[in-house]
Amino acid sequence: MRDSLRSSVFSLLLGLAGVTAGAVVPGAALAQDSTDFRAYLESLRPKARAMEIRDATLDSVFPTLTPNPRVIALDQTQPGGGAYSPIPNFEPYRRQHVDAARISRGRIAYQANRARLARIEAETGVPEEIMVAIYGHETNYGSYTGDFDLIRSLATLAHEGRRRALFEPELLATLKMLDNGVPRSRLIGSWAGATGYPQFLPSVYLRLAKDGDGDGRADIWTSEADALASIANYFVQAGWRRGQPWGVAVSVPSSFDRASVAARTNPARCPRVFNRHSRWLTMAEWRKLGLFPASGIWPGDTVMATLLEPDGPGKTAYLLTGNYRAILDYNCSNFYALSVGLLADAVKQ
């Protein structure tokens, strides 16, 4: 699984983790054998050495670790819709995540960081407001970034084994961060491993975190400049196209033939997300089909877009460009990506 998809999965898990702190811990978690846990940690040494993680680093941290039963409980009690469960309407989610308070705080963050945002946009092509909207959605502009010990949480989840292929590489990446000089006190975040203002997974941090303020460190935990530069770098690597919008709200005529624009491919990942999108047409082709933008402004005629009607026919629909797919790379959820785009538009107004 790619780092970007891991980021998507864990951002979603963080958002869903509204589980009561006193949740009942599964018996299997209570019965975890500390000897087996220690043996598992020791078994990681060859992989850690292959990543050039020093034994001294492992020696300093392994003796401090114990399993965290609450992390197992949170992981095993995640709500999740099955492949055929109904998808709710977007509008209630939009009202909750693109609300007046988040917009207001976003405008404050936007204005406070204009100089650095403008510089990052000039360098990367990622719009200032998109960086701010991600910052707002992930941690409410840094107000909450999680309080779990990343190494302990990831060691617990990797040892438990149900999703070891997902969690073990993140544990090793966190150890690499520690070995690279990131203080243990910084390695705090969600129970599932996301950390810092952008809620990067450790593997994503190693790959994409940037120094935005020129101090020689990529500090995504306390430096807004570093966090925003790192978010922009993520989108550059995800294929953001300079000068294109993420999408545009449109009205669809009542006589519109949706079957004629149905997608003809079977998505390899996130099928519940991508199966809701039409096939790709140019903006000029969508205009000929009778769609018109809510703002009265069309992107360029040659810009390709898919149609999404998140609340069904007769409600606000969206034509979504390739840059929307870059937002989905951050978190593979139509509701998340739409709300990021809408928050970005509102913050810039």
Side-chain angles (χ1 to χ4, degrees):
M1 186 177 291
R2 298 181 304 114
D3 283 342
S4 57
L5 181 53
R6 288 181 190 151
S7 180
S8 302
V9 169
F10 283 97
S11 294
L12 180 59
L13 287 176
L14 176 66
L16 291 173
V19 189
T20 305
V24 176
V25 178
L30 287 172
Q32 284 190 88
D33 179 67
S34 60
T35 301
D36 183 60
F37 181 71
R38 298 280 175 212
Y40 169 69
L41 293 178
E42 289 300 320
S43 76
L44 295 175
R45 284 185 183 267
K47 295 179 180 179
R49 288 171 184 146
M51 296 173 62
E52 300 184 346
I53 300 171
R54 293 168 298 166
D55 279 338
T57 297
L58 305 181
D59 293 341
S60 71
V61 70
F62 280 177
T64 71
L65 298 178
T66 58
N68 185 341
R70 184 172 176 235
V71 169
I72 298 297
L74 288 167
D75 184 42
Q76 294 184 347
T77 57
Q78 283 305 294
Y84 303 104
S85 60
I87 298 174
N89 284 339
F90 170 60
E91 182 58 22
Y93 184 97
R94 185 198 66 78
R95 288 198 300 267
Q96 181 179 357
H97 291 83
V98 193
D99 59 308
R102 201 177 301 252
I103 293 169
S104 176
R105 293 193 66 185
R107 288 173 176 167
I108 292 170
Y110 181 64
Q111 292 301 327
N113 289 281
R114 284 307 305 281
R116 62 173 59 108
L117 285 166
R119 175 180 54 78
I120 296 169
E121 179 174 349
E123 293 172 355
T124 66
V126 179
E128 303 173 43
E129 62 272 16
I130 289 290
M131 294 178 251
V132 172
I134 291 290
Y135 182 26
H137 269 282
E138 291 297 328
T139 57
N140 200 10
Y141 311 104
S143 64
Y144 183 73
T145 57
D147 56 7
F148 283 84
D149 178 337
L150 291 190
I151 297 179
R152 185 187 183 203
S153 294
L154 290 168
T156 299
L157 292 164
H159 170 253
E160 188 261 355
R162 188 168 62 96
R163 293 195 289 166
R164 181 169 293 176
L166 197 60
F167 290 112
E168 184 175 278
E170 298 304 329
L171 170 59
L172 290 166
T174 312
L175 293 169
K176 182 66 173 177
M177 291 170 66
L178 185 67
D179 195 63
N180 285 350
V182 177
R184 179 77 183 271
S185 60
R186 287 278 190 268
L187 298 177
I188 303 296
S190 80
W191 64 267
T195 189
Y197 291 158
Q199 290 293 279
F200 277 1
L201 288 177
S203 61
V204 176
Y205 174 88
L206 290 175
R207 186 166 59 92
L208 297 176
K210 298 280 287 184
D211 173 16
D213 55 19
D215 67 356
R217 297 178 292 115
D219 179 4
I220 63 170
W221 301 273
T222 65
S223 169
E224 287 187 320
D226 291 2
L228 295 168
S230 298
I231 290 168
N233 193 40
Y234 189 104
F235 280 111
V236 168
Q237 299 302 316
W240 189 274
R241 294 179 175 93
R242 184 186 293 267
Q244 283 192 11
W246 63 270
V248 58
V250 295
S251 294
V252 180
S254 58
S255 59
F256 185 69
D257 180 9
R258 290 166 178 82
S260 68
V261 297
R264 298 168 182 168
T265 59
N266 187 26
R269 72 180 186 98
C270 302
R272 277 168 61 88
V273 171
F274 292 110
N275 280 336
R276 303 191 72 193
H277 296 205
S278 74
R279 61 188 175 92
W280 293 91
L281 296 174
T282 67
M283 289 292 177
E285 289 172 321
W286 286 117
R287 187 167 63 248
K288 289 179 181 178
L289 290 173
L291 280 68
F292 58 92
S295 66
I297 301 173
W298 280 102
D301 282 355
T302 60
V303 173
M304 301 293 292
T306 60
L307 177 67
L308 174 65
E309 297 177 281
D311 293 321
K315 305 294 184 181
T316 300
Y318 299 89
L319 289 177
L320 306 167
T321 74
N323 284 342
Y324 179 83
R325 299 296 175 100
I327 303 174
L328 287 177
D329 198 78
Y330 206 100
N331 185 330
C332 201
S333 159
N334 280 315
F335 285 11
Y336 177 91
L338 284 172
S339 59
V340 164
L342 293 170
L343 178 62
D345 290 350
V347 162
K348 189 177 181 180
Q349 288 178 3

